[in-house]
Amino acid sequence: MLKIGSTGTEVRRLQILLNENGARVVVDGWFGETTRNAVITAQRRLGLVVDGIAGPKTVAALQSRSRPAKLLGLGDLERAAIRLDVPLAVIRAVNEVESRGQGFFDDGRPVILFERHIMYRQLNERRLDADRYAATYPAIVNPKRGGYQGGTGEHRRLQQAMDIHRDSAIESTSWGLFQIMGFHWQALGYASPTEFATLMARSEADQLEAFIRFIEAEKPLLKALRAGKWEAFAAGYNGAAYKENLYDIKLARAFDRYREAEAEHA
């Protein structure tokens, strides 16, 4: 993620890309205000989320000179703000702080994290002898969390879990930008675990939709968002770890920054 203060070869490549897309920035490997403004202009023109930060999605769009269909756009965030009845700056702040930055790996598969302890629980709930599977496949079924491979390796774990029980595997996985757990599928109005997984693999807009449904279903979270109570939202969304990671402070700062930027362009 390239932003104000970043330096080096990757910034130089970004500046070259920006110039190829009509900007006029000095290719000096330093991400200053001029480069940030060029990024904002490009993001706005390409229909991306406008935040002045050049992550993988912005770079990909600059390379293709268009927004890939799978990627989230500013219009998606605007519709989310209207639906949740909150200022756009609120949604932009949440997207910056609470999302993983990108909903898909470079190979096109959705970003996921498989949770073996949830798989153990889901199998138990279906009376499918979770202990027997845990004895044979402890990295996939286990009463204790862990065993993560990270990155695309999580898809290998998910496939192994699907070979045991497809629905339980989907339910035991967090999906997309906002890492919504699959076991929420029914409460969020999806027809089946398979439908949920299929939509999470379709686009970041679908992943945002799952987040919206989650917030709508969790009334305290929606109330906290509407009131701008960042500590309450961060605690409810992230659990006790929010303090360790300063999520409430990051959300408040991001909100203030986006609100000020929107006021300047009003």
Side-chain angles (χ1 to χ4, degrees):
M1 304 292 282
L2 303 176
K3 55 186 177 181
I4 287 286
S6 296
T7 59
T9 302
E10 292 303 315
V11 175
R12 291 177 62 86
R13 290 173 180 166
L14 169 66
Q15 291 168 330
I16 291 170
L17 269 177
L18 288 168
N19 288 341
E20 289 175 351
N21 279 264
R24 293 183 178 180
V25 299
V26 176
V27 181
D28 58 5
W30 180 65
F31 197 120
E33 286 293 338
T34 302
T35 298
R36 179 178 181 274
N37 291 338
V39 169
I40 288 173
T41 298
Q43 289 173 329
R44 188 172 287 116
R45 178 176 58 80
L46 293 167
L48 296 168
V49 174
V50 181
D51 58 10
I53 299 172
K57 291 186 284 189
T58 295
V59 171
L62 285 168
Q63 289 171 335
S64 66
R65 304 202 176 192
S66 64
R67 176 168 65 90
K70 277 189 173 185
L71 300 188
L72 201 64
L74 181 58
D76 298 313
L77 297 186
E78 290 172 338
R79 286 185 287 274
I82 291 171
R83 181 151 152 201
L84 294 176
D85 191 23
V86 297
L88 176 59
V90 167
I91 296 299
R92 294 176 75 182
V94 171
N95 180 61
E96 176 182 320
V97 176
E98 296 289 5
S99 83
R100 295 178 65 92
Q102 59 185 109
F104 292 89
F105 293 116
D106 291 342
D107 64 9
R109 290 182 293 178
V111 170
I112 64 168
L113 188 66
F114 176 76
E115 301 284 3
R116 68 184 188 183
H117 66 292
I118 302 297
M119 183 70 173
Y120 180 88
R121 185 189 75 187
Q122 298 305 103
L123 290 174
N124 260 339
E125 289 183 357
R126 289 185 167 93
R127 299 182 180 180
L128 293 176
D129 199 354
D131 288 319
R132 178 171 65 86
Y133 286 112
T136 308
Y137 309 103
I140 303 301
V141 183
N142 201 305
K144 297 181 180 180
R145 67 174 66 242
Y148 306 113
Q149 293 183 12
T152 56
E154 293 301 313
H155 276 278
R156 289 192 293 272
R157 299 178 71 217
L158 173 60
Q159 186 56 59
Q160 291 171 334
M162 284 182 168
D163 290 341
I164 295 172
H165 191 266
R166 180 180 177 82
D167 284 356
S168 293
I170 292 172
E171 293 168 351
S172 303
T173 303
S174 59
W175 296 80
L177 277 171
F178 299 95
Q179 290 295 280
I180 303 298
M181 288 298 303
F183 63 75
H184 291 299
W185 67 267
Q186 192 167 23
L188 301 186
Y190 294 94
S192 66
T194 295
E195 182 191 50
F196 175 79
T198 298
L199 291 173
M200 295 307 96
R202 189 169 71 176
S203 73
E204 289 183 347
D206 287 293
Q207 295 170 5
L208 177 62
E209 170 67 21
F211 170 78
I212 293 170
R213 294 189 189 190
F214 182 79
I215 297 301
E216 288 175 333
E218 297 290 331
K219 301 304 181 185
L221 289 180
L222 180 57
K223 184 178 179 180
L225 270 189
R226 288 175 174 169
K229 294 183 177 179
W230 297 114
E231 184 174 4
F233 177 80
Y237 193 75
N238 301 287
Y242 87 93
K243 289 185 178 181
E244 178 182 335
N245 293 293
L246 305 177
Y247 285 127
D248 56 330
I249 295 173
K250 292 175 182 177
L251 284 164
R253 289 175 177 172
F255 171 72
D256 288 341
R257 186 173 70 252
Y258 285 123
R259 182 174 57 179
E260 290 173 5
E262 289 167 12
E264 290 176 2
H265 291 89

